[in-house]
């Protein structure tokens, strides 16, 4: 699924950067930009799913809510730092023509990091509440998914009520967060704008940057963090077997995963239909209705599409061409952050492979193929080479000797 997001991201950036002349006024470019609305929600959604997996592993290890929160917070801060570092890199490379305000632009990595921080605090609060409600500690029989929380008085083998409540509490908190981000977005962009805040801070709320009004090309917390919490809820549902009991065999677990993902797809399809009907209806909660940017209906539509894509990705990996051998999308998905970081410079930066705003559709498509192959090769180098086992000091000294920098004894 991350690999698919990378591919959609590549085509959006390549055609936007390189198409010129009459090619910019075609349905082709509009279709490309429409597909370009998917990568950011996919990355945020999968950040939530991955967060649920990490939290689940720490719960199994009997870590306390405080320890889990600190670990999750650290990861969110790391991603936020990567986002700020990426902005600094882009500013340095574009030195001379990029405005200083670009350093404070709210980009995808920034909002993924902040979303992770908020998810960590949300998970920590729910887990702490469960621990306080059920006593000094929680434990279920070995083999259960949620074996931990702090060690303490044991539960009887058949009693999983505490953990059911904890799981439902996590999912309910995530869904409530999604609704909160969705329904607060329209007023925060219009009548409730926090204009009294400095613009670098306000920009993280509504994406105003330093331009005085919310910008559709930025990624503020509202509504983008909603996709991360939707992924977190989906992840907790997917990785928890509280409802169905402990599953002993791998086939049972895979069958259950397929069933849950199929239910996700049905839910997603229903959400898409409901969002479409609400969009066409005359009933609107807000005086200003902006379907493509702030409407809860469009957010519901995209969450529905994410659930459908999740099921399609699972089917592709289990029954599709991905089972035939090497899968470029799976390979790219393993290094999606690296691909995002590097490809920008070869599309929008000083090292652009093609002249900007000067290519035909065929020429830009050729550049897209080159970017895809280059990123795929870079991904293979990153994952297939064991960099830790390379004796860099020995190799540098050998290179210096062969190049004449160091005379042999």
């Amino acid at each position: 699924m991350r690999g698919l997001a990378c591919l959609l991201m590549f085509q959006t950036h390549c055609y936007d950067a390189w198409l010129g002349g009459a090619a910019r006024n075609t349905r082709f470019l509009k279709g490309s930009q429409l597909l370009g609305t998917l990568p950011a929600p996919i990355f945020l959604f999968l950040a939530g799913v991955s967060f649920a997996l990490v939290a689940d592993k720490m719960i199994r290890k009997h870590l306390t809510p405080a320890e889990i929160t600190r670990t999750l917070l650290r990861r969110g801060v790391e991603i936020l730092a990567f986002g700020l570092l990426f902005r600094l890199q882009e500013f340095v490379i574009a030195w001379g023509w990029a405005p200083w305000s670009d350093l404070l632009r709210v980009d995808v990595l920034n909002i993924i990091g902040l979303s992770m921080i908020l998810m960590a605090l949300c998970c920590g609060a729910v887990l702490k509440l469960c621990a306080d409600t059920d006593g000094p500690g929680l434990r279920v029989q070995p083999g259960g998914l949620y074996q931990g929380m702090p060690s303490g008085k044991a539960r009887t083998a058949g009693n999983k009520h505490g953990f059911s409540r904890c799981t439902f509490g996590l999912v309910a908190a995530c869904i409530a967060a999604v609704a909160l981000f969705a329904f607060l977005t329209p007023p925060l962009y219009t009548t409730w704008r926090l204009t009294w805040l400095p613009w670098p801070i306000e920009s993280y709320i509504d994406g105003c940057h330093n331009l005085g009004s919310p910008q559709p090309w930025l990624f503020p917390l509202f509504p983008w963090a909603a996709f991360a919490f939707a992924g977190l809820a989906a992840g907790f549902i997917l990785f928890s077997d509280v409802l169905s009991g402990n599953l002993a065999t791998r086939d049972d677990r895979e069958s259950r995963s397929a069933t849950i993902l199929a239910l996700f797809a049905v839910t997603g399809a229903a959400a898409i239909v409901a969002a479409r009907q609400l969009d066409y209806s005359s009933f609107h909660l807000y005086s200003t209705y902006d379907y493509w940017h702030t409407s809860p209906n469009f957010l519901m539509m995209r969450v529905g599409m994410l659930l459908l894509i999740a099921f399609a990705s699972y089917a592709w990996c289990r029954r599709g061409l991905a089972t035939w051998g090497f899968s470029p999308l799976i390979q790219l998905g393993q290094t999606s952050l690296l691909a995002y970081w590097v490809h920008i410079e070869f599309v929008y930066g000083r090292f652009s492979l093609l002249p900007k705003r000067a290519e035909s559709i065929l020429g830009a498509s050729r550049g897209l193929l080159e970017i895809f192959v280059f990123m795929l090769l870079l991904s293979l180098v990153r994952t297939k080479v064991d960099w830790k086992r390379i004796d860099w000091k020995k190799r540098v000294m050998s290179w210096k000797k062969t190049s004449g920098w160091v005379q042999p004894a």
Side-chain angles (χ1 to χ4, degrees):
M1 196 168 170
R2 279 200 181 97
L4 174 63
C6 287
L7 181 59
L8 293 172
M9 175 178 64
F10 294 162
Q11 67 86 25
T12 303
H13 291 168
C14 288
Y15 291 128
D16 176 62
W18 294 332
L19 285 182
R24 299 201 67 81
N25 300 316
T26 59
R27 291 184 179 179
F28 182 88
L29 180 59
K30 291 180 181 179
S32 170
Q33 291 173 336
L34 186 61
L35 291 175
T37 64
L38 288 174
I42 289 176
F43 284 132
L44 282 157
F45 181 83
L46 292 177
V49 174
S50 300
F51 224 62
L53 178 59
V54 173
D56 171 69
K57 287 182 178 179
M58 289 189 289
I59 291 173
R60 292 190 193 204
K61 294 179 180 178
H62 305 285
L63 298 183
T64 65
E67 291 171 327
I68 293 172
T69 304
R70 282 196 298 269
T71 302
L72 296 177
L73 276 174
R74 190 179 305 118
R75 182 57 178 162
V77 172
E78 287 174 359
I79 297 298
L80 178 59
F82 275 128
L84 297 174
L85 181 61
F86 178 73
R87 296 294 349 138
L88 177 61
Q89 171 195 287
E90 294 298 289
F91 179 74
V92 170
I93 291 176
W95 186 273
W97 57 269
W100 68 268
S101 57
D102 276 6
L103 287 168
L104 303 176
R105 183 190 299 176
V106 182
D107 218 331
V108 176
L109 281 180
N110 304 57
I111 220 60
I112 289 177
L114 275 180
S115 298
M116 286 182 168
I117 292 172
L118 293 177
M119 289 189 293
L121 295 175
C122 177
C123 290
V126 173
L127 293 175
K128 182 66 166 63
L129 181 62
C130 285
D132 290 344
T133 303
D134 289 279
L138 296 173
R139 182 176 293 170
V140 295
Q141 67 221 39
L145 186 65
Y146 288 150
Q147 295 181 29
M149 297 285 281
S151 59
K153 60 182 181 181
R155 290 187 169 275
T156 59
N159 185 3
K160 297 182 185 178
H161 175 72
F163 281 91
S164 296
R165 180 166 62 253
C166 190
T167 304
F168 294 147
L170 288 167
V171 174
C174 294
I175 294 175
V178 173
L180 184 69
F181 281 108
F183 288 110
L184 286 182
T185 296
L188 286 174
Y189 275 54
T190 52
T191 55
W192 293 1
R193 276 194 60 197
L194 307 179
T195 53
W196 49 271
L197 290 173
W199 72 260
I201 298 178
E202 185 192 350
S203 190
Y204 275 91
I205 304 298
D206 59 21
C208 67
H209 200 52
N210 63 342
L211 301 175
S213 61
Q215 302 299 307
W217 45 275
L218 293 177
F219 300 91
L221 279 171
F222 294 85
W224 293 96
F227 297 112
F229 277 95
L232 187 62
F236 280 127
I237 293 171
L238 186 61
F239 300 133
S240 169
D241 58 6
V242 172
L243 295 177
S244 58
N246 298 324
L247 303 173
T249 68
R250 181 174 180 176
D251 288 342
D252 289 340
R253 290 191 294 269
E254 289 184 357
S255 176
R256 178 183 174 277
S257 297
T259 301
I260 291 178
L261 286 164
L263 291 175
F264 282 176
V266 172
T267 304
I272 291 172
V273 172
R276 184 176 177 84
Q277 292 300 317
L278 288 172
D279 181 49
Y280 283 120
S281 72
S282 58
F283 173 76
H284 296 298
L285 289 174
Y286 310 97
S287 57
T288 302
Y289 184 72
D290 187 350
Y291 177 75
W292 290 98
H293 300 118
T294 64
S295 170
N297 296 335
F298 188 44
L299 189 145
M300 182 164 62
M301 170 81 74
R302 285 195 279 193
V303 170
M305 294 180 69
L306 291 173
L307 294 175
L308 285 172
I309 292 172
F311 175 71
S313 299
Y314 179 83
W316 180 264
C317 292
R318 290 296 181 186
R319 297 288 186 269
L321 294 179
T323 62
W324 292 12
F326 174 72
S327 171
L329 289 185
I330 292 177
Q331 180 61 44
L332 271 177
Q334 294 174 356
T335 56
S336 56
L337 177 58
L338 179 65
Y340 169 79
W341 197 294
V342 174
H343 94 280
I344 289 289
E345 285 308 315
F346 294 95
V347 177
Y348 287 114
R350 291 185 185 272
F351 308 106
S352 177
L353 295 183
L354 297 174
K356 298 173 186 175
R357 301 292 178 99
E359 294 292 329
S360 64
I361 294 176
L362 182 60
S365 298
R366 176 177 59 84
L368 170 60
L369 179 61
E370 291 174 356
I371 284 289
F372 180 80
V373 172
F374 179 36
M375 291 300 104
L376 184 59
L377 292 175
L378 182 63
S379 177
L380 288 168
V381 170
R382 172 65 181 84
T383 59
K384 302 304 181 183
V385 177
D386 190 352
W387 298 98
K388 294 182 180 180
R389 297 186 61 181
I390 298 177
D391 189 342
W392 294 104
K393 184 176 180 180
K394 183 178 178 180
R395 287 179 178 270
V396 170
M397 289 302 297
S398 175
W399 175 77
K400 286 183 177 181
K401 288 179 181 179
T402 56
S403 62
W405 282 33
V406 177
Q407 297 297 326

